[in-house]
Amino acid sequence: PQLNNPDLEEIPFKEVPELVDPMIKGHQSMTSLSEVDEGTTTRYVMEDQDIKTFLAIPVIVQGDFYGFVGFDNCTGEVRWSEEEVRTLKTITSNLAIAIERNQIENERKKLLNEKNRILESIGDGFFAVDNNFIVEYWNNQAEELLFTPKEKVLNQYLWNAFDKNLAQKSYQQYSKALKERIPLKFEDYYKPIGRWFDVNVYPSQNGISVFFKDITERKQAEEKLKELNQSLKVQAKELARSNEELKQFALVASHDLQEPLRMITSFLAQLERKYKDVLDEKGKKYIYFATDGARRMRQIILDLLDFSRVGRVDMEKSEVDIYEILENIQTLHHKIIDEKGARVTWGKMPVVFAARGPLQQLFQNLINNALKYHENDHQPEVKISSIETETHWGFSVKDNGIGIKEEYKEKIFNIFQRLHHKDEYSGTGVGLAICKKIIEMHGGEIWLESEEGKGSTFYFTIAK
Ligand code: ADP
């Protein structure tokens, strides 16, 4: 009648030490009413239920006190015989074993769930096979990556679903991992679906576990890169060849072309000298034009030689004080600066690691242009500044000259590109092409900002 009495439920162990203490130590506890002190909870509980003697046998699960089975005698104070106690203990210990087994089973299920959760949540494809290639596990990602649902492979021979001959490498590696019980890593292409995989194999208790990733995109990128490298090689070869041609051309230009040119000039001079009196004004004008043409042609040849020389000669790098270079240029140009009433100024300048000659030529060309491209009555102002970044030195050469139209901003760096007629401003159109070449040899870039009629600023960088 007391089975469902709430007063008797959840009594804290410490209130009934007579009952609990021996059991915590692993012993049974057998006590009669007359042995229990007055006023204790144990006594009250026994009296209340009319219990004369109780026997409590602990249930020990995995070494811990898990609970107990209690037997009450309400007819009189008794002593259970050893035989009786042993029988009851057997029953209790069977109960403990059943509980333990159940706990282990629950634990195993929990671990299995956890394992499955992990195997399903990893981004990789995963499957497990036993020693005979019978598939034991196949995760969702594997279904997607291999276009094969679980139903088709689980508990089946792996090579029923996949053609062993088309997956030669995988087959060999899996077999090796199974036989030698070692982890392996490899890449394989599975032709039927046209995908590349990065595969990791680990030996397990009775087979292997396989993790794999789709690396098709990476592989394709690698292939592309290889192709690009190849065509780059071809281009580099082509470039080397055309450089060589240019060198040859420069040589021809310097010797073979200059010689006939000298001849033209000298005969023109003779013509002018000897036939001065016979020639009319028109004739003299023609001779002047022809001489001027020859002179310009000579300049073009010299500039071209200059251009072809950049990068071949004089490229040894050392510490170069830009301040010093600018001073030099100012001294060299003092005549034209004075004539035009120009002002050339600069701020703080660094010492850089570069090829001295070419760097001086670079500044010289830019400053030259900045002084040259002005309206006649205009006083040129040229300002040179520098900044430093983590990887480069940056410079700017700013003028207040005629400026450059937006559409020519790129073109003017090409060789022989000029925006003006020789009568307007002299030149051959090689200066900026030389600048560009020098900058490229120094791992930098050159560009400009300009507003027509207001001036231009040329910017360039050189790698530290
Ligand atoms: P060149 O001065 O011998 O013509 P460059 O290569 O130095 O050759 O310059 C190419 C063209 O770019 C010039 O003909 C000129 O039209 C334009 N240019 C260069 N620098 C400037 C500048 N600072 N202001 C305006 N135009 C310029």
Side-chain angles (χ1 to χ4, degrees), residues 29-71:
S29 87
M30 189 177 349
T31 303
S32 295
L33 193 63
S34 57
E35 295 164 337
V36 181
D37 289 343
E38 296 272 356
T40 58
T41 306
T42 307
R43 174 118 196 170
Y44 156 76
V45 167
M46 288 177 80
E47 276 174 348
D48 210 36
Q49 298 177 79
D50 226 4
I51 298 171
K52 302 289 189 292
T53 305
F54 69 75
L55 168 67
I57 300 175
V59 177
I60 306 291
V61 175
Q62 298 193 52
D64 287 332
F65 175 54
Y66 181 85
F68 67 89
V69 180
F71 303 91

mmCIF file of all heavy atoms in Angstrom, residues 29-71:
data_model
loop_
_atom_site.group_PDB
_atom_site.id
_atom_site.type_symbol
_atom_site.label_atom_id
_atom_site.label_comp_id
_atom_site.label_asym_id
_atom_site.label_seq_id
_atom_site.Cartn_x
_atom_site.Cartn_y
_atom_site.Cartn_z
ATOM 1 N N SER A 29 22.715 -3.765 3.513
ATOM 2 C CA SER A 29 22.450 -3.311 4.876
ATOM 3 C C SER A 29 21.179 -3.994 5.375
ATOM 4 O O SER A 29 20.156 -4.028 4.684
ATOM 5 C CB SER A 29 22.396 -1.793 4.907
ATOM 6 O OG SER A 29 21.142 -1.301 4.613
ATOM 7 N N MET A 30 21.287 -4.603 6.576
ATOM 8 C CA MET A 30 20.153 -5.331 7.171
ATOM 9 C C MET A 30 19.959 -4.779 8.576
ATOM 10 O O MET A 30 20.874 -4.809 9.388
ATOM 11 C CB MET A 30 20.472 -6.833 7.220
ATOM 12 C CG MET A 30 19.253 -7.587 7.611
ATOM 13 S SD MET A 30 19.345 -9.391 7.670
ATOM 14 C CE MET A 30 20.780 -9.961 6.958
ATOM 15 N N THR A 31 18.772 -4.185 8.819
ATOM 16 C CA THR A 31 18.558 -3.541 10.123
ATOM 17 C C THR A 31 17.122 -3.804 10.614
ATOM 18 O O THR A 31 16.179 -3.769 9.814
ATOM 19 C CB THR A 31 18.788 -2.023 10.029
ATOM 20 O OG1 THR A 31 20.099 -1.817 9.534
ATOM 21 C CG2 THR A 31 18.636 -1.337 11.366
ATOM 22 N N SER A 32 16.979 -4.032 11.926
ATOM 23 C CA SER A 32 15.650 -4.210 12.518
ATOM 24 C C SER A 32 15.280 -2.968 13.308
ATOM 25 O O SER A 32 16.163 -2.191 13.711
ATOM 26 C CB SER A 32 15.647 -5.434 13.453
ATOM 27 O OG SER A 32 15.871 -6.590 12.670
ATOM 28 N N LEU A 33 13.992 -2.770 13.497
ATOM 29 C CA LEU A 33 13.470 -1.561 14.128
ATOM 30 C C LEU A 33 14.129 -1.306 15.489
ATOM 31 O O LEU A 33 14.527 -0.174 15.798
ATOM 32 C CB LEU A 33 11.942 -1.707 14.293
ATOM 33 C CG LEU A 33 11.177 -0.433 14.658
ATOM 34 C CD1 LEU A 33 11.306 0.612 13.564
ATOM 35 C CD2 LEU A 33 9.714 -0.734 14.927
ATOM 36 N N SER A 34 14.307 -2.335 16.248
ATOM 37 C CA SER A 34 14.846 -2.153 17.613
ATOM 38 C C SER A 34 16.291 -1.668 17.599
ATOM 39 O O SER A 34 16.767 -1.142 18.591
ATOM 40 C CB SER A 34 14.754 -3.491 18.376
ATOM 41 O OG SER A 34 15.460 -4.493 17.657
ATOM 42 N N GLU A 35 16.956 -1.794 16.445
ATOM 43 C CA GLU A 35 18.360 -1.340 16.365
ATOM 44 C C GLU A 35 18.464 0.141 15.961
ATOM 45 O O GLU A 35 19.545 0.707 15.974
ATOM 46 C CB GLU A 35 19.133 -2.183 15.321
ATOM 47 C CG GLU A 35 19.271 -3.635 15.700
ATOM 48 C CD GLU A 35 19.688 -4.514 14.518
ATOM 49 O OE1 GLU A 35 19.443 -4.089 13.350
ATOM 50 O OE2 GLU A 35 20.248 -5.588 14.743
ATOM 51 N N VAL A 36 17.345 0.729 15.553
ATOM 52 C CA VAL A 36 17.406 2.108 15.031
ATOM 53 C C VAL A 36 17.031 3.102 16.124
ATOM 54 O O VAL A 36 16.050 2.893 16.852
ATOM 55 C CB VAL A 36 16.454 2.255 13.826
ATOM 56 C CG1 VAL A 36 16.522 3.676 13.271
ATOM 57 C CG2 VAL A 36 16.806 1.255 12.752
ATOM 58 N N ASP A 37 17.837 4.200 16.231
ATOM 59 C CA ASP A 37 17.594 5.203 17.290
ATOM 60 C C ASP A 37 16.236 5.870 17.124
ATOM 61 O O ASP A 37 15.773 6.092 15.989
ATOM 62 C CB ASP A 37 18.690 6.287 17.227
ATOM 63 C CG ASP A 37 20.018 5.722 17.709
ATOM 64 O OD1 ASP A 37 20.013 4.648 18.366
ATOM 65 O OD2 ASP A 37 21.073 6.352 17.384
ATOM 66 N N GLU A 38 15.638 6.259 18.307
ATOM 67 C CA GLU A 38 14.384 7.015 18.309
ATOM 68 C C GLU A 38 14.607 8.368 17.617
ATOM 69 O O GLU A 38 15.706 8.926 17.712
ATOM 70 C CB GLU A 38 13.955 7.274 19.773
ATOM 71 C CG GLU A 38 13.631 6.043 20.599
ATOM 72 C CD GLU A 38 12.162 5.617 20.484
ATOM 73 O OE1 GLU A 38 11.397 6.348 19.805
ATOM 74 O OE2 GLU A 38 11.795 4.550 21.031
ATOM 75 N N GLY A 39 13.570 8.860 16.970
ATOM 76 C CA GLY A 39 13.622 10.233 16.418
ATOM 77 C C GLY A 39 14.364 10.350 15.085
ATOM 78 O O GLY A 39 14.418 11.430 14.515
ATOM 79 N N THR A 40 14.923 9.249 14.595
ATOM 80 C CA THR A 40 15.612 9.346 13.298
ATOM 81 C C THR A 40 14.605 9.149 12.164
ATOM 82 O O THR A 40 13.521 8.599 12.388
ATOM 83 C CB THR A 40 16.704 8.275 13.151
ATOM 84 O OG1 THR A 40 16.077 7.004 13.297
ATOM 85 C CG2 THR A 40 17.804 8.424 14.188
ATOM 86 N N THR A 41 14.988 9.632 11.018
ATOM 87 C CA THR A 41 14.096 9.497 9.862
ATOM 88 C C THR A 41 13.894 8.023 9.518
ATOM 89 O O THR A 41 12.784 7.600 9.182
ATOM 90 C CB THR A 41 14.698 10.228 8.640
ATOM 91 O OG1 THR A 41 14.991 11.567 9.023
ATOM 92 C CG2 THR A 41 13.746 10.252 7.459
ATOM 93 N N THR A 42 14.992 7.263 9.642
ATOM 94 C CA THR A 42 14.907 5.845 9.332
ATOM 95 C C THR A 42 13.824 5.175 10.209
ATOM 96 O O THR A 42 12.962 4.445 9.706
ATOM 97 C CB THR A 42 16.261 5.161 9.568
ATOM 98 O OG1 THR A 42 17.261 5.884 8.855
ATOM 99 C CG2 THR A 42 16.241 3.718 9.098
ATOM 100 N N ARG A 43 13.859 5.543 11.482
ATOM 101 C CA ARG A 43 12.893 4.958 12.428
ATOM 102 C C ARG A 43 11.472 5.359 12.029
ATOM 103 O O ARG A 43 10.573 4.528 11.950
ATOM 104 C CB ARG A 43 13.246 5.466 13.833
ATOM 105 C CG ARG A 43 12.278 5.074 14.909
ATOM 106 C CD ARG A 43 12.942 4.206 15.953
ATOM 107 N NE ARG A 43 11.959 3.518 16.765
ATOM 108 C CZ ARG A 43 12.249 2.572 17.607
ATOM 109 N NH1 ARG A 43 13.508 2.153 17.701
ATOM 110 N NH2 ARG A 43 11.320 1.999 18.339
ATOM 111 N N TYR A 44 11.329 6.621 11.729
ATOM 112 C CA TYR A 44 10.000 7.152 11.363
ATOM 113 C C TYR A 44 9.460 6.448 10.118
ATOM 114 O O TYR A 44 8.305 6.032 10.068
ATOM 115 C CB TYR A 44 10.139 8.668 11.170
ATOM 116 C CG TYR A 44 9.078 9.275 10.279
ATOM 117 C CD1 TYR A 44 7.762 9.478 10.748
ATOM 118 C CD2 TYR A 44 9.361 9.644 8.957
ATOM 119 C CE1 TYR A 44 6.804 10.016 9.923
ATOM 120 C CE2 TYR A 44 8.397 10.180 8.130
ATOM 121 C CZ TYR A 44 7.116 10.361 8.630
ATOM 122 O OH TYR A 44 6.164 10.883 7.805
ATOM 123 N N VAL A 45 10.363 6.326 9.131
ATOM 124 C CA VAL A 45 9.950 5.679 7.879
ATOM 125 C C VAL A 45 9.546 4.229 8.129
ATOM 126 O O VAL A 45 8.535 3.746 7.590
ATOM 127 C CB VAL A 45 11.102 5.740 6.828
ATOM 128 C CG1 VAL A 45 10.823 4.818 5.641
ATOM 129 C CG2 VAL A 45 11.281 7.172 6.328
ATOM 130 N N MET A 46 10.324 3.545 8.976
ATOM 131 C CA MET A 46 10.020 2.128 9.252
ATOM 132 C C MET A 46 8.699 1.990 10.013
ATOM 133 O O MET A 46 7.841 1.195 9.644
ATOM 134 C CB MET A 46 11.167 1.480 10.052
ATOM 135 C CG MET A 46 12.424 1.262 9.216
ATOM 136 S SD MET A 46 13.781 0.588 10.170
ATOM 137 C CE MET A 46 13.347 -1.143 10.228
ATOM 138 N N GLU A 47 8.545 2.833 10.997
ATOM 139 C CA GLU A 47 7.323 2.766 11.814
ATOM 140 C C GLU A 47 6.095 3.050 10.960
ATOM 141 O O GLU A 47 5.081 2.377 11.044
ATOM 142 C CB GLU A 47 7.410 3.775 12.964
ATOM 143 C CG GLU A 47 8.183 3.216 14.153
ATOM 144 C CD GLU A 47 8.407 4.258 15.249
ATOM 145 O OE1 GLU A 47 8.156 5.465 14.981
ATOM 146 O OE2 GLU A 47 8.839 3.860 16.347
ATOM 147 N N ASP A 48 6.258 4.055 10.154
ATOM 148 C CA ASP A 48 5.163 4.501 9.312
ATOM 149 C C ASP A 48 4.666 3.384 8.401
ATOM 150 O O ASP A 48 3.469 3.312 8.091
ATOM 151 C CB ASP A 48 5.666 5.677 8.470
ATOM 152 C CG ASP A 48 4.529 6.636 8.158
ATOM 153 O OD1 ASP A 48 3.676 6.801 9.044
ATOM 154 O OD2 ASP A 48 4.495 7.176 7.019
ATOM 155 N N GLN A 49 5.587 2.550 7.984
ATOM 156 C CA GLN A 49 5.201 1.502 7.043
ATOM 157 C C GLN A 49 5.094 0.133 7.708
ATOM 158 O O GLN A 49 4.932 -0.869 7.015
ATOM 159 C CB GLN A 49 6.255 1.415 5.917
ATOM 160 C CG GLN A 49 6.355 2.695 5.117
ATOM 161 C CD GLN A 49 7.453 2.576 4.084
ATOM 162 O OE1 GLN A 49 7.261 1.959 3.036
ATOM 163 N NE2 GLN A 49 8.601 3.149 4.407
ATOM 164 N N ASP A 50 5.276 0.202 8.990
ATOM 165 C CA ASP A 50 5.139 -1.047 9.731
ATOM 166 C C ASP A 50 6.250 -2.049 9.370
ATOM 167 O O ASP A 50 6.025 -3.263 9.324
ATOM 168 C CB ASP A 50 3.752 -1.682 9.451
ATOM 169 C CG ASP A 50 3.130 -2.140 10.767
ATOM 170 O OD1 ASP A 50 3.760 -1.877 11.822
ATOM 171 O OD2 ASP A 50 2.052 -2.758 10.702
ATOM 172 N N ILE A 51 7.437 -1.541 9.097
ATOM 173 C CA ILE A 51 8.540 -2.422 8.708
ATOM 174 C C ILE A 51 9.276 -2.852 9.972
ATOM 175 O O ILE A 51 9.683 -2.010 10.775
ATOM 176 C CB ILE A 51 9.509 -1.707 7.758
ATOM 177 C CG1 ILE A 51 8.800 -1.316 6.462
ATOM 178 C CG2 ILE A 51 10.744 -2.567 7.449
ATOM 179 C CD1 ILE A 51 9.593 -0.421 5.538
ATOM 180 N N LYS A 52 9.479 -4.145 10.079
ATOM 181 C CA LYS A 52 10.149 -4.642 11.283
ATOM 182 C C LYS A 52 11.647 -4.827 11.006
ATOM 183 O O LYS A 52 12.476 -4.486 11.823
ATOM 184 C CB LYS A 52 9.548 -5.994 11.727
ATOM 185 C CG LYS A 52 8.046 -5.925 12.019
ATOM 186 C CD LYS A 52 7.784 -5.133 13.304
ATOM 187 C CE LYS A 52 6.337 -5.187 13.790
ATOM 188 N NZ LYS A 52 5.376 -4.499 12.924
ATOM 189 N N THR A 53 11.942 -5.361 9.841
ATOM 190 C CA THR A 53 13.345 -5.537 9.440
ATOM 191 C C THR A 53 13.458 -5.253 7.926
ATOM 192 O O THR A 53 12.538 -5.601 7.182
ATOM 193 C CB THR A 53 13.823 -6.984 9.662
ATOM 194 O OG1 THR A 53 13.587 -7.335 11.021
ATOM 195 C CG2 THR A 53 15.319 -7.111 9.367
ATOM 196 N N PHE A 54 14.550 -4.559 7.540
ATOM 197 C CA PHE A 54 14.728 -4.412 6.085
ATOM 198 C C PHE A 54 16.088 -4.940 5.666
ATOM 199 O O PHE A 54 17.026 -4.979 6.472
ATOM 200 C CB PHE A 54 14.540 -2.956 5.623
ATOM 201 C CG PHE A 54 15.609 -2.007 6.074
ATOM 202 C CD1 PHE A 54 16.882 -2.001 5.482
ATOM 203 C CD2 PHE A 54 15.349 -1.075 7.082
ATOM 204 C CE1 PHE A 54 17.847 -1.124 5.893
ATOM 205 C CE2 PHE A 54 16.337 -0.191 7.491
ATOM 206 C CZ PHE A 54 17.590 -0.215 6.902
ATOM 207 N N LEU A 55 16.114 -5.343 4.421
ATOM 208 C CA LEU A 55 17.373 -5.753 3.817
ATOM 209 C C LEU A 55 17.504 -4.944 2.521
ATOM 210 O O LEU A 55 16.584 -4.951 1.701
ATOM 211 C CB LEU A 55 17.349 -7.261 3.483
ATOM 212 C CG LEU A 55 18.475 -7.769 2.597
ATOM 213 C CD1 LEU A 55 19.834 -7.682 3.296
ATOM 214 C CD2 LEU A 55 18.227 -9.222 2.173
ATOM 215 N N ALA A 56 18.622 -4.218 2.382
ATOM 216 C CA ALA A 56 18.815 -3.425 1.143
ATOM 217 C C ALA A 56 20.109 -3.870 0.481
ATOM 218 O O ALA A 56 21.155 -3.929 1.132
ATOM 219 C CB ALA A 56 18.869 -1.936 1.466
ATOM 220 N N ILE A 57 20.000 -4.213 -0.778
ATOM 221 C CA ILE A 57 21.184 -4.682 -1.505
ATOM 222 C C ILE A 57 21.542 -3.652 -2.587
ATOM 223 O O ILE A 57 20.689 -3.269 -3.415
ATOM 224 C CB ILE A 57 20.933 -6.054 -2.149
ATOM 225 C CG1 ILE A 57 20.594 -7.043 -1.022
ATOM 226 C CG2 ILE A 57 22.142 -6.530 -2.950
ATOM 227 C CD1 ILE A 57 20.201 -8.410 -1.508
ATOM 228 N N PRO A 58 22.790 -3.159 -2.560
ATOM 229 C CA PRO A 58 23.147 -2.096 -3.522
ATOM 230 C C PRO A 58 23.223 -2.626 -4.965
ATOM 231 O O PRO A 58 23.589 -3.771 -5.185
ATOM 232 C CB PRO A 58 24.521 -1.642 -3.050
ATOM 233 C CG PRO A 58 25.083 -2.814 -2.329
ATOM 234 C CD PRO A 58 23.932 -3.547 -1.707
ATOM 235 N N VAL A 59 22.841 -1.744 -5.887
ATOM 236 C CA VAL A 59 23.022 -2.055 -7.315
ATOM 237 C C VAL A 59 24.256 -1.251 -7.764
ATOM 238 O O VAL A 59 24.250 -0.022 -7.739
ATOM 239 C CB VAL A 59 21.779 -1.634 -8.128
ATOM 240 C CG1 VAL A 59 22.008 -1.889 -9.612
ATOM 241 C CG2 VAL A 59 20.548 -2.355 -7.623
ATOM 242 N N ILE A 60 25.317 -1.986 -8.084
ATOM 243 C CA ILE A 60 26.568 -1.300 -8.453
ATOM 244 C C ILE A 60 26.731 -1.388 -9.982
ATOM 245 O O ILE A 60 26.792 -2.478 -10.541
ATOM 246 C CB ILE A 60 27.785 -1.975 -7.784
ATOM 247 C CG1 ILE A 60 27.614 -2.085 -6.254
ATOM 248 C CG2 ILE A 60 29.087 -1.236 -8.142
ATOM 249 C CD1 ILE A 60 27.660 -0.771 -5.506
ATOM 250 N N VAL A 61 26.748 -0.233 -10.613
ATOM 251 C CA VAL A 61 26.894 -0.217 -12.082
ATOM 252 C C VAL A 61 28.212 0.480 -12.430
ATOM 253 O O VAL A 61 28.442 1.621 -12.024
ATOM 254 C CB VAL A 61 25.702 0.508 -12.745
ATOM 255 C CG1 VAL A 61 25.931 0.615 -14.251
ATOM 256 C CG2 VAL A 61 24.411 -0.216 -12.461
ATOM 257 N N GLN A 62 29.033 -0.190 -13.196
ATOM 258 C CA GLN A 62 30.356 0.306 -13.594
ATOM 259 C C GLN A 62 31.114 0.853 -12.394
ATOM 260 O O GLN A 62 31.703 1.937 -12.438
ATOM 261 C CB GLN A 62 30.211 1.387 -14.669
ATOM 262 C CG GLN A 62 29.559 0.841 -15.929
ATOM 263 C CD GLN A 62 29.696 1.809 -17.124
ATOM 264 O OE1 GLN A 62 30.775 2.250 -17.433
ATOM 265 N NE2 GLN A 62 28.577 2.071 -17.750
ATOM 266 N N GLY A 63 31.032 0.111 -11.273
ATOM 267 C CA GLY A 63 31.814 0.480 -10.088
ATOM 268 C C GLY A 63 31.176 1.529 -9.199
ATOM 269 O O GLY A 63 31.706 1.855 -8.153
ATOM 270 N N ASP A 64 30.040 2.083 -9.632
ATOM 271 C CA ASP A 64 29.409 3.129 -8.817
ATOM 272 C C ASP A 64 28.107 2.654 -8.192
ATOM 273 O O ASP A 64 27.384 1.836 -8.771
ATOM 274 C CB ASP A 64 29.090 4.354 -9.692
ATOM 275 C CG ASP A 64 30.353 5.113 -10.063
ATOM 276 O OD1 ASP A 64 31.325 5.039 -9.256
ATOM 277 O OD2 ASP A 64 30.370 5.730 -11.149
ATOM 278 N N PHE A 65 27.809 3.223 -7.020
ATOM 279 C CA PHE A 65 26.535 2.934 -6.367
ATOM 280 C C PHE A 65 25.419 3.585 -7.181
ATOM 281 O O PHE A 65 25.374 4.812 -7.308
ATOM 282 C CB PHE A 65 26.580 3.499 -4.931
ATOM 283 C CG PHE A 65 25.282 3.377 -4.211
ATOM 284 C CD1 PHE A 65 24.628 2.137 -4.100
ATOM 285 C CD2 PHE A 65 24.683 4.496 -3.620
ATOM 286 C CE1 PHE A 65 23.417 2.023 -3.424
ATOM 287 C CE2 PHE A 65 23.469 4.382 -2.951
ATOM 288 C CZ PHE A 65 22.841 3.148 -2.854
ATOM 289 N N TYR A 66 24.575 2.770 -7.756
ATOM 290 C CA TYR A 66 23.604 3.259 -8.724
ATOM 291 C C TYR A 66 22.200 3.338 -8.097
ATOM 292 O O TYR A 66 21.382 4.191 -8.454
ATOM 293 C CB TYR A 66 23.592 2.292 -9.904
ATOM 294 C CG TYR A 66 22.639 2.655 -11.027
ATOM 295 C CD1 TYR A 66 23.029 3.540 -12.026
ATOM 296 C CD2 TYR A 66 21.365 2.080 -11.102
ATOM 297 C CE1 TYR A 66 22.161 3.852 -13.063
ATOM 298 C CE2 TYR A 66 20.504 2.391 -12.130
ATOM 299 C CZ TYR A 66 20.901 3.276 -13.120
ATOM 300 O OH TYR A 66 20.063 3.588 -14.135
ATOM 301 N N GLY A 67 21.920 2.451 -7.122
ATOM 302 C CA GLY A 67 20.614 2.387 -6.467
ATOM 303 C C GLY A 67 20.586 1.147 -5.607
ATOM 304 O O GLY A 67 21.632 0.560 -5.341
ATOM 305 N N PHE A 68 19.415 0.795 -5.168
ATOM 306 C CA PHE A 68 19.374 -0.445 -4.372
ATOM 307 C C PHE A 68 18.026 -1.121 -4.522
ATOM 308 O O PHE A 68 17.054 -0.499 -4.955
ATOM 309 C CB PHE A 68 19.695 -0.165 -2.893
ATOM 310 C CG PHE A 68 18.663 0.658 -2.175
ATOM 311 C CD1 PHE A 68 17.574 0.043 -1.534
ATOM 312 C CD2 PHE A 68 18.761 2.054 -2.141
ATOM 313 C CE1 PHE A 68 16.638 0.828 -0.878
ATOM 314 C CE2 PHE A 68 17.812 2.819 -1.495
ATOM 315 C CZ PHE A 68 16.749 2.218 -0.853
ATOM 316 N N VAL A 69 18.022 -2.389 -4.158
ATOM 317 C CA VAL A 69 16.748 -3.126 -4.105
ATOM 318 C C VAL A 69 16.484 -3.431 -2.625
ATOM 319 O O VAL A 69 17.360 -3.945 -1.920
ATOM 320 C CB VAL A 69 16.831 -4.444 -4.893
ATOM 321 C CG1 VAL A 69 15.497 -5.184 -4.829
ATOM 322 C CG2 VAL A 69 17.222 -4.161 -6.323
ATOM 323 N N GLY A 70 15.323 -3.015 -2.162
ATOM 324 C CA GLY A 70 15.029 -3.203 -0.738
ATOM 325 C C GLY A 70 13.957 -4.265 -0.512
ATOM 326 O O GLY A 70 13.028 -4.395 -1.296
ATOM 327 N N PHE A 71 14.184 -5.050 0.510
ATOM 328 C CA PHE A 71 13.200 -6.081 0.901
ATOM 329 C C PHE A 71 12.764 -5.777 2.328
ATOM 330 O O PHE A 71 13.616 -5.556 3.199
ATOM 331 C CB PHE A 71 13.844 -7.481 0.852
ATOM 332 C CG PHE A 71 14.409 -7.804 -0.523
ATOM 333 C CD1 PHE A 71 15.726 -7.509 -0.825
ATOM 334 C CD2 PHE A 71 13.597 -8.395 -1.501
ATOM 335 C CE1 PHE A 71 16.243 -7.796 -2.075
ATOM 336 C CE2 PHE A 71 14.119 -8.689 -2.746
ATOM 337 C CZ PHE A 71 15.442 -8.397 -3.035
#
